PDB file of all heavy atoms in Angstrom:
ATOM      1  N   LEU F   1      -5.276   8.663  -5.054  1.00  0.00           N
ATOM      2  CA  LEU F   1      -4.216   7.743  -5.282  1.00  0.00           C
ATOM      3  C   LEU F   1      -4.825   6.381  -5.700  1.00  0.00           C
ATOM      4  O   LEU F   1      -5.947   5.956  -5.232  1.00  0.00           O
ATOM      5  CB  LEU F   1      -3.303   7.456  -4.028  1.00  0.00           C
ATOM      6  CG  LEU F   1      -2.433   8.713  -3.743  1.00  0.00           C
ATOM      7  CD1 LEU F   1      -1.984   8.542  -2.259  1.00  0.00           C
ATOM      8  CD2 LEU F   1      -1.263   8.741  -4.686  1.00  0.00           C
ATOM      9  N   PRO F   2      -4.134   5.671  -6.689  1.00  0.00           N
ATOM     10  CA  PRO F   2      -4.787   4.359  -7.089  1.00  0.00           C
ATOM     11  C   PRO F   2      -4.770   3.314  -6.007  1.00  0.00           C
ATOM     12  O   PRO F   2      -3.928   3.329  -5.053  1.00  0.00           O
ATOM     13  CB  PRO F   2      -3.790   4.068  -8.302  1.00  0.00           C
ATOM     14  CG  PRO F   2      -2.532   4.673  -7.967  1.00  0.00           C
ATOM     15  CD  PRO F   2      -2.899   5.997  -7.386  1.00  0.00           C
ATOM     16  N   ASP F   3      -5.717   2.374  -6.114  1.00  0.00           N
ATOM     17  CA  ASP F   3      -5.740   1.247  -5.178  1.00  0.00           C
ATOM     18  C   ASP F   3      -4.535   0.393  -5.419  1.00  0.00           C
ATOM     19  O   ASP F   3      -4.085   0.038  -6.460  1.00  0.00           O
ATOM     20  CB  ASP F   3      -7.002   0.504  -5.329  1.00  0.00           C
ATOM     21  CG  ASP F   3      -8.201   1.290  -4.971  1.00  0.00           C
ATOM     22  OD1 ASP F   3      -8.159   2.056  -4.087  1.00  0.00           O
ATOM     23  OD2 ASP F   3      -9.370   1.034  -5.553  1.00  0.00           O
ATOM     24  N   LEU F   4      -3.977  -0.073  -4.289  1.00  0.00           N
ATOM     25  CA  LEU F   4      -2.944  -1.108  -4.399  1.00  0.00           C
ATOM     26  C   LEU F   4      -3.324  -2.366  -4.939  1.00  0.00           C
ATOM     27  O   LEU F   4      -4.490  -2.784  -4.818  1.00  0.00           O
ATOM     28  CB  LEU F   4      -2.314  -1.288  -3.042  1.00  0.00           C
ATOM     29  CG  LEU F   4      -1.593  -0.051  -2.324  1.00  0.00           C
ATOM     30  CD1 LEU F   4      -1.150  -0.279  -0.906  1.00  0.00           C
ATOM     31  CD2 LEU F   4      -0.482   0.521  -3.217  1.00  0.00           C
ATOM     32  N   PRO F   5      -2.436  -3.195  -5.566  1.00  0.00           N
ATOM     33  CA  PRO F   5      -2.856  -4.287  -6.394  1.00  0.00           C
ATOM     34  C   PRO F   5      -2.932  -5.638  -5.571  1.00  0.00           C
ATOM     35  O   PRO F   5      -2.835  -6.591  -6.104  1.00  0.00           O
ATOM     36  CB  PRO F   5      -1.739  -4.451  -7.463  1.00  0.00           C
ATOM     37  CG  PRO F   5      -0.492  -3.923  -6.711  1.00  0.00           C
ATOM     38  CD  PRO F   5      -0.962  -2.825  -5.810  1.00  0.00           C
ATOM     39  N   TYR F   6      -3.152  -5.554  -4.305  1.00  0.00           N
ATOM     40  CA  TYR F   6      -3.171  -6.768  -3.464  1.00  0.00           C
ATOM     41  C   TYR F   6      -3.936  -6.333  -2.226  1.00  0.00           C
ATOM     42  O   TYR F   6      -4.164  -5.283  -1.848  1.00  0.00           O
ATOM     43  CB  TYR F   6      -1.660  -7.163  -3.136  1.00  0.00           C
ATOM     44  CG  TYR F   6      -1.077  -6.188  -2.330  1.00  0.00           C
ATOM     45  CD1 TYR F   6      -1.202  -6.173  -0.897  1.00  0.00           C
ATOM     46  CD2 TYR F   6      -0.293  -5.186  -2.887  1.00  0.00           C
ATOM     47  CE1 TYR F   6      -0.556  -5.187  -0.129  1.00  0.00           C
ATOM     48  CE2 TYR F   6       0.307  -4.194  -2.150  1.00  0.00           C
ATOM     49  CZ  TYR F   6       0.106  -4.246  -0.788  1.00  0.00           C
ATOM     50  OH  TYR F   6       0.726  -3.265  -0.048  1.00  0.00           O
ATOM     51  N   PHE F   7      -4.162  -7.470  -1.341  1.00  0.00           N
ATOM     52  CA  PHE F   7      -4.718  -7.258  -0.063  1.00  0.00           C
ATOM     53  C   PHE F   7      -3.894  -7.951   0.938  1.00  0.00           C
ATOM     54  O   PHE F   7      -3.481  -9.123   0.770  1.00  0.00           O
ATOM     55  CB  PHE F   7      -6.153  -7.755  -0.063  1.00  0.00           C
ATOM     56  CG  PHE F   7      -6.753  -7.681   1.377  1.00  0.00           C
ATOM     57  CD1 PHE F   7      -7.211  -6.503   1.954  1.00  0.00           C
ATOM     58  CD2 PHE F   7      -6.799  -8.799   2.185  1.00  0.00           C
ATOM     59  CE1 PHE F   7      -7.851  -6.463   3.186  1.00  0.00           C
ATOM     60  CE2 PHE F   7      -7.347  -8.866   3.451  1.00  0.00           C
ATOM     61  CZ  PHE F   7      -7.839  -7.595   3.913  1.00  0.00           C
ATOM     62  N   GLY F   8      -3.633  -7.291   2.062  1.00  0.00           N
ATOM     63  CA  GLY F   8      -2.897  -7.985   3.106  1.00  0.00           C
ATOM     64  C   GLY F   8      -3.045  -7.332   4.454  1.00  0.00           C
ATOM     65  O   GLY F   8      -3.479  -6.185   4.509  1.00  0.00           O
ATOM     66  N   LEU F   9      -2.814  -8.086   5.502  1.00  0.00           N
ATOM     67  CA  LEU F   9      -3.093  -7.651   6.806  1.00  0.00           C
ATOM     68  C   LEU F   9      -1.860  -7.136   7.612  1.00  0.00           C
ATOM     69  O   LEU F   9      -1.926  -6.497   8.670  1.00  0.00           O
ATOM     70  CB  LEU F   9      -3.787  -8.736   7.748  1.00  0.00           C
ATOM     71  CG  LEU F   9      -5.203  -9.176   7.245  1.00  0.00           C
ATOM     72  CD1 LEU F   9      -5.604 -10.327   8.019  1.00  0.00           C
ATOM     73  CD2 LEU F   9      -6.171  -8.032   7.188  1.00  0.00           C
ATOM     74  N   ASP F  10      -0.640  -7.388   7.088  1.00  0.00           N
ATOM     75  CA  ASP F  10       0.604  -6.929   7.674  1.00  0.00           C
ATOM     76  C   ASP F  10       0.676  -5.466   7.608  1.00  0.00           C
ATOM     77  O   ASP F  10       0.155  -4.871   6.695  1.00  0.00           O
ATOM     78  CB  ASP F  10       1.773  -7.565   7.034  1.00  0.00           C
ATOM     79  CG  ASP F  10       1.871  -9.142   7.367  1.00  0.00           C
ATOM     80  OD1 ASP F  10       1.325  -9.575   8.332  1.00  0.00           O
ATOM     81  OD2 ASP F  10       2.574  -9.728   6.637  1.00  0.00           O
ATOM     82  N   LEU F  11       1.302  -4.773   8.544  1.00  0.00           N
ATOM     83  CA  LEU F  11       1.397  -3.340   8.551  1.00  0.00           C
ATOM     84  C   LEU F  11       1.990  -2.782   7.240  1.00  0.00           C
ATOM     85  O   LEU F  11       1.501  -1.792   6.761  1.00  0.00           O
ATOM     86  CB  LEU F  11       2.297  -2.850   9.723  1.00  0.00           C
ATOM     87  CG  LEU F  11       1.650  -3.103  11.108  1.00  0.00           C
ATOM     88  CD1 LEU F  11       2.661  -2.626  12.111  1.00  0.00           C
ATOM     89  CD2 LEU F  11       0.494  -2.291  11.217  1.00  0.00           C
ATOM     90  N   HIS F  12       3.035  -3.349   6.673  1.00  0.00           N
ATOM     91  CA  HIS F  12       3.593  -2.805   5.454  1.00  0.00           C
ATOM     92  C   HIS F  12       2.713  -3.023   4.242  1.00  0.00           C
ATOM     93  O   HIS F  12       2.966  -2.348   3.186  1.00  0.00           O
ATOM     94  CB  HIS F  12       4.966  -3.460   5.216  1.00  0.00           C
ATOM     95  CG  HIS F  12       4.938  -4.923   4.711  1.00  0.00           C
ATOM     96  ND1 HIS F  12       4.731  -5.953   5.510  1.00  0.00           N
ATOM     97  CD2 HIS F  12       5.032  -5.426   3.380  1.00  0.00           C
ATOM     98  CE1 HIS F  12       4.662  -7.125   4.838  1.00  0.00           C
ATOM     99  NE2 HIS F  12       4.928  -6.789   3.612  1.00  0.00           N
ATOM    100  N   GLN F  13       1.637  -3.778   4.352  1.00  0.00           N
ATOM    101  CA  GLN F  13       0.751  -4.072   3.117  1.00  0.00           C
ATOM    102  C   GLN F  13      -0.477  -3.178   3.199  1.00  0.00           C
ATOM    103  O   GLN F  13      -1.128  -3.046   2.225  1.00  0.00           O
ATOM    104  CB  GLN F  13       0.273  -5.483   3.249  1.00  0.00           C
ATOM    105  CG  GLN F  13       1.378  -6.529   3.131  1.00  0.00           C
ATOM    106  CD  GLN F  13       0.767  -7.907   3.277  1.00  0.00           C
ATOM    107  OE1 GLN F  13       0.145  -8.228   4.275  1.00  0.00           O
ATOM    108  NE2 GLN F  13       1.244  -8.890   2.407  1.00  0.00           N
ATOM    109  N   GLN F  14      -0.663  -2.423   4.321  1.00  0.00           N
ATOM    110  CA  GLN F  14      -1.889  -1.674   4.383  1.00  0.00           C
ATOM    111  C   GLN F  14      -1.660  -0.297   3.754  1.00  0.00           C
ATOM    112  O   GLN F  14      -0.560   0.354   4.001  1.00  0.00           O
ATOM    113  CB  GLN F  14      -2.270  -1.436   5.860  1.00  0.00           C
ATOM    114  CG  GLN F  14      -2.630  -2.746   6.557  1.00  0.00           C
ATOM    115  CD  GLN F  14      -2.811  -2.612   8.053  1.00  0.00           C
ATOM    116  OE1 GLN F  14      -2.916  -1.573   8.555  1.00  0.00           O
ATOM    117  NE2 GLN F  14      -2.758  -3.906   8.797  1.00  0.00           N
ATOM    118  N   PRO F  15      -2.600   0.253   2.921  1.00  0.00           N
ATOM    119  CA  PRO F  15      -2.367   1.445   2.214  1.00  0.00           C
ATOM    120  C   PRO F  15      -2.026   2.635   3.119  1.00  0.00           C
ATOM    121  O   PRO F  15      -1.232   3.547   2.654  1.00  0.00           O
ATOM    122  CB  PRO F  15      -3.734   1.589   1.548  1.00  0.00           C
ATOM    123  CG  PRO F  15      -4.313   0.297   1.356  1.00  0.00           C
ATOM    124  CD  PRO F  15      -3.947  -0.445   2.607  1.00  0.00           C
ATOM    125  N   ILE F  16      -2.588   2.772   4.299  1.00  0.00           N
ATOM    126  CA  ILE F  16      -2.285   3.872   5.193  1.00  0.00           C
ATOM    127  C   ILE F  16      -0.819   3.891   5.565  1.00  0.00           C
ATOM    128  O   ILE F  16      -0.373   5.033   5.872  1.00  0.00           O
ATOM    129  CB  ILE F  16      -3.300   3.898   6.423  1.00  0.00           C
ATOM    130  CG1 ILE F  16      -3.121   5.249   7.165  1.00  0.00           C
ATOM    131  CG2 ILE F  16      -2.787   2.756   7.302  1.00  0.00           C
ATOM    132  CD1 ILE F  16      -3.760   6.353   6.345  1.00  0.00           C
ATOM    133  N   ASN F  17      -0.148   2.876   5.437  1.00  0.00           N
ATOM    134  CA  ASN F  17       1.291   2.839   5.770  1.00  0.00           C
ATOM    135  C   ASN F  17       2.152   3.008   4.533  1.00  0.00           C
ATOM    136  O   ASN F  17       3.382   2.854   4.635  1.00  0.00           O
ATOM    137  CB  ASN F  17       1.586   1.536   6.568  1.00  0.00           C
ATOM    138  CG  ASN F  17       0.944   1.484   7.886  1.00  0.00           C
ATOM    139  OD1 ASN F  17       0.921   2.436   8.626  1.00  0.00           O
ATOM    140  ND2 ASN F  17       0.359   0.267   8.262  1.00  0.00           N
ATOM    141  N   TRP F  18       1.695   3.226   3.394  1.00  0.00           N
ATOM    142  CA  TRP F  18       2.438   3.493   2.220  1.00  0.00           C
ATOM    143  C   TRP F  18       2.604   5.016   2.073  1.00  0.00           C
ATOM    144  O   TRP F  18       1.548   5.808   2.120  1.00  0.00           O
ATOM    145  CB  TRP F  18       1.689   3.066   0.950  1.00  0.00           C
ATOM    146  CG  TRP F  18       1.969   1.525   0.752  1.00  0.00           C
ATOM    147  CD1 TRP F  18       1.664   0.539   1.628  1.00  0.00           C
ATOM    148  CD2 TRP F  18       2.426   0.908  -0.324  1.00  0.00           C
ATOM    149  NE1 TRP F  18       1.999  -0.721   1.122  1.00  0.00           N
ATOM    150  CE2 TRP F  18       2.563  -0.449  -0.105  1.00  0.00           C
ATOM    151  CE3 TRP F  18       2.981   1.326  -1.615  1.00  0.00           C
ATOM    152  CZ2 TRP F  18       2.960  -1.393  -1.156  1.00  0.00           C
ATOM    153  CZ3 TRP F  18       3.451   0.455  -2.518  1.00  0.00           C
ATOM    154  CH2 TRP F  18       3.434  -0.960  -2.266  1.00  0.00           C
ATOM    155  N   GLY F  19       3.709   5.546   1.981  1.00  0.00           N
ATOM    156  CA  GLY F  19       4.033   6.998   1.888  1.00  0.00           C
ATOM    157  C   GLY F  19       4.058   7.481   0.458  1.00  0.00           C
ATOM    158  O   GLY F  19       3.950   6.725  -0.415  1.00  0.00           O
ATOM    159  N   SER F  20       4.427   8.722   0.341  1.00  0.00           N
ATOM    160  CA  SER F  20       4.442   9.441  -0.915  1.00  0.00           C
ATOM    161  C   SER F  20       5.443   8.779  -1.862  1.00  0.00           C
ATOM    162  O   SER F  20       5.187   8.643  -3.130  1.00  0.00           O
ATOM    163  CB  SER F  20       4.727  10.847  -0.755  1.00  0.00           C
ATOM    164  OG  SER F  20       3.671  11.472  -0.030  1.00  0.00           O
ATOM    165  N   GLY F  21       6.640   8.342  -1.339  1.00  0.00           N
ATOM    166  CA  GLY F  21       7.634   7.862  -2.229  1.00  0.00           C
ATOM    167  C   GLY F  21       7.261   6.641  -2.886  1.00  0.00           C
ATOM    168  O   GLY F  21       7.420   6.367  -4.099  1.00  0.00           O
ATOM    169  N   LEU F  22       6.671   5.686  -2.186  1.00  0.00           N
ATOM    170  CA  LEU F  22       6.167   4.397  -2.758  1.00  0.00           C
ATOM    171  C   LEU F  22       4.986   4.659  -3.637  1.00  0.00           C
ATOM    172  O   LEU F  22       4.893   4.056  -4.782  1.00  0.00           O
ATOM    173  CB  LEU F  22       5.759   3.350  -1.545  1.00  0.00           C
ATOM    174  CG  LEU F  22       6.864   2.462  -1.102  1.00  0.00           C
ATOM    175  CD1 LEU F  22       7.294   1.450  -2.160  1.00  0.00           C
ATOM    176  CD2 LEU F  22       8.012   3.128  -0.562  1.00  0.00           C
ATOM    177  N   TYR F  23       4.084   5.585  -3.222  1.00  0.00           N
ATOM    178  CA  TYR F  23       2.885   5.842  -4.066  1.00  0.00           C
ATOM    179  C   TYR F  23       3.302   6.531  -5.422  1.00  0.00           C
ATOM    180  O   TYR F  23       2.685   6.472  -6.461  1.00  0.00           O
ATOM    181  CB  TYR F  23       1.898   6.642  -3.359  1.00  0.00           C
ATOM    182  CG  TYR F  23       0.806   5.795  -2.800  1.00  0.00           C
ATOM    183  CD1 TYR F  23       0.588   5.697  -1.355  1.00  0.00           C
ATOM    184  CD2 TYR F  23      -0.077   5.105  -3.496  1.00  0.00           C
ATOM    185  CE1 TYR F  23      -0.452   5.007  -0.897  1.00  0.00           C
ATOM    186  CE2 TYR F  23      -1.017   4.265  -3.019  1.00  0.00           C
ATOM    187  CZ  TYR F  23      -1.280   4.288  -1.667  1.00  0.00           C
ATOM    188  OH  TYR F  23      -2.304   3.467  -1.138  1.00  0.00           O
ATOM    189  N   ALA F  24       4.402   7.324  -5.404  1.00  0.00           N
ATOM    190  CA  ALA F  24       4.825   7.931  -6.632  1.00  0.00           C
ATOM    191  C   ALA F  24       5.333   6.899  -7.583  1.00  0.00           C
ATOM    192  O   ALA F  24       4.900   6.915  -8.745  1.00  0.00           O
ATOM    193  CB  ALA F  24       6.116   8.912  -6.200  1.00  0.00           C
ATOM    194  N   VAL F  25       6.007   5.865  -7.085  1.00  0.00           N
ATOM    195  CA  VAL F  25       6.397   4.803  -7.998  1.00  0.00           C
ATOM    196  C   VAL F  25       5.219   4.035  -8.517  1.00  0.00           C
ATOM    197  O   VAL F  25       5.086   3.738  -9.668  1.00  0.00           O
ATOM    198  CB  VAL F  25       7.358   3.815  -7.245  1.00  0.00           C
ATOM    199  CG1 VAL F  25       7.693   2.629  -8.017  1.00  0.00           C
ATOM    200  CG2 VAL F  25       8.652   4.626  -6.873  1.00  0.00           C
ATOM    201  N   TYR F  26       4.279   3.698  -7.578  1.00  0.00           N
ATOM    202  CA  TYR F  26       3.100   2.889  -8.080  1.00  0.00           C
ATOM    203  C   TYR F  26       2.248   3.726  -9.020  1.00  0.00           C
ATOM    204  O   TYR F  26       1.729   3.192  -9.954  1.00  0.00           O
ATOM    205  CB  TYR F  26       2.305   2.518  -6.866  1.00  0.00           C
ATOM    206  CG  TYR F  26       1.056   1.691  -7.193  1.00  0.00           C
ATOM    207  CD1 TYR F  26       1.255   0.499  -7.990  1.00  0.00           C
ATOM    208  CD2 TYR F  26      -0.198   2.076  -6.770  1.00  0.00           C
ATOM    209  CE1 TYR F  26       0.142  -0.251  -8.324  1.00  0.00           C
ATOM    210  CE2 TYR F  26      -1.307   1.362  -7.038  1.00  0.00           C
ATOM    211  CZ  TYR F  26      -1.155   0.232  -7.862  1.00  0.00           C
ATOM    212  OH  TYR F  26      -2.201  -0.531  -8.175  1.00  0.00           O
TER     213      TYR F  26
END
């Protein structure tokens, strides 16, 4: 999967907390 375009420490910003639906869009 491609790297996310930002860095953040909040839970919703961490790649491990992104699921298939969001990654499909990205």
Side-chain angles (χ1 to χ4, degrees):
L1 290 164
D3 292 332
L4 296 176
Y6 64 85
F7 174 79
L9 297 178
D10 290 341
L11 287 177
H12 73 279
Q13 296 173 315
Q14 297 172 17
I16 194 64
N17 293 319
W18 281 55
S20 299
L22 268 296
Y23 264 118
V25 174
Y26 181 53

